[in-house]
Amino acid sequence: MRIITISREFGSGGRTVGKQVAESLGIRYYDKELVKEVAAQTGFQESFVEEHGEHAPAKNWLSYVLALNGQSSSGMSANDLIWAVQRQVILEIAEEGPCVIVGRCADYVLRERDDCLNVFIHADKDVRAERIVRLYGMSDKAPVKRLEDKDKKRALFYKHHTGRDWGMAQNYHISLDSGVIGIEKCGEIISDLYRC
């Protein structure tokens, strides 16, 4: 294995696991760095790329299709332009050497490579809700509602661009419950698999 992709439910600690794994293995880590590169190539603000490069602009298909009607100067919707550039950046990153890539459908983009370990991190809603409040604070939405909204948008984005169902075990080599196993242990398991 040279590349690890980590998909995750909101609040499951997937980003933290990814950083831990990259540090443990001494390989590059891509999350915000990928967002910066896509923003530079598209001209969109990083915050826009971060939201629209992994999440649908709506929580259901009809709203999503309507949101895609706005086109950029290239004739593509902003979301599809971000997807195209993001996909290319992921392919280029994978060619550069060993790394961890968090989110952004990297498991699908790199599906034809045989040197990838594709991981999905999940946890019980109560565990994730407690974690997002601890990390990000309270908002006007209840924590569980925040989780549901973000996960619905991730699932819809993933389905739109891959034709697959997000979070389904057959799309990944391993699925880990960070609420039961613990974030640190998830990182150790992934690092051990990488070294095999």
Side-chain angles (χ1 to χ4, degrees), residues 3-196:
I3 300 159
I4 298 169
T5 69
I6 298 181
S7 301
R8 75 278 186 231
E9 290 180 324
F10 181 49
S12 66
R15 180 175 284 149
T16 304
V17 170
K19 284 181 185 175
Q20 176 188 325
V21 169
E23 288 172 12
S24 168
L25 297 172
I27 61 177
R28 293 169 299 129
Y29 171 81
Y30 291 97
D31 181 16
K32 303 283 188 198
E33 300 78 7
L34 200 149
V35 169
K36 287 179 185 176
E37 182 61 30
V38 173
Q41 290 190 31
T42 60
F44 292 122
Q45 290 185 352
E46 287 179 27
S47 59
F48 186 82
V49 171
E50 183 161 9
E51 182 61 26
H52 295 275
E54 191 169 42
H55 305 104
K59 293 180 280 182
N60 63 58
W61 276 108
L62 180 58
S63 297
Y64 191 18
V65 170
L66 293 173
L68 293 178
N69 283 337
Q71 296 182 346
S72 68
S73 59
S74 67
M76 302 171 83
S77 72
N79 279 40
D80 286 340
L81 176 61
I82 289 171
W83 165 255
V85 172
Q86 183 170 270
R87 181 184 169 282
Q88 188 57 44
V89 169
I90 290 169
L91 291 169
E92 290 168 5
I93 285 169
E95 287 300 315
E96 292 172 3
C99 61
V100 174
I101 304 171
V102 176
R104 308 202 177 318
C105 303
D107 60 290
Y108 178 80
V109 172
L110 302 174
R111 70 193 178 282
E112 294 177 7
R113 295 183 68 109
D114 59 6
D115 61 350
C116 288
L117 175 63
N118 299 319
V119 179
F120 190 80
I121 306 290
H122 61 96
D124 182 77
K125 279 185 186 175
D126 291 337
V127 171
R128 294 187 296 132
E130 183 276 324
R131 189 167 196 277
I132 66 167
V133 168
R134 185 169 29 88
L135 292 177
Y136 309 118
M138 292 297 290
S139 76
D140 54 342
K141 276 192 212 174
V144 171
K145 180 68 173 150
R146 288 165 65 190
L147 295 173
E148 290 170 352
D149 288 352
K150 197 125 179 167
D151 285 347
K152 279 181 187 176
K153 289 179 176 183
R154 279 184 181 167
L156 190 55
F157 181 90
Y158 190 86
K159 182 74 168 183
H160 175 73
H161 291 289
T162 71
R164 296 178 174 182
D165 292 325
W166 178 73
M168 296 298 289
Q170 57 267 38
N171 296 334
Y172 311 94
H173 297 114
I174 187 169
S175 179
L176 300 170
D177 186 333
S178 62
V180 172
I181 299 170
I183 288 174
E184 188 172 314
K185 190 65 176 175
C186 286
E188 291 172 11
I189 291 168
I190 296 165
S191 295
D192 287 346
L193 286 171
Y194 183 89
R195 291 183 184 111
C196 291

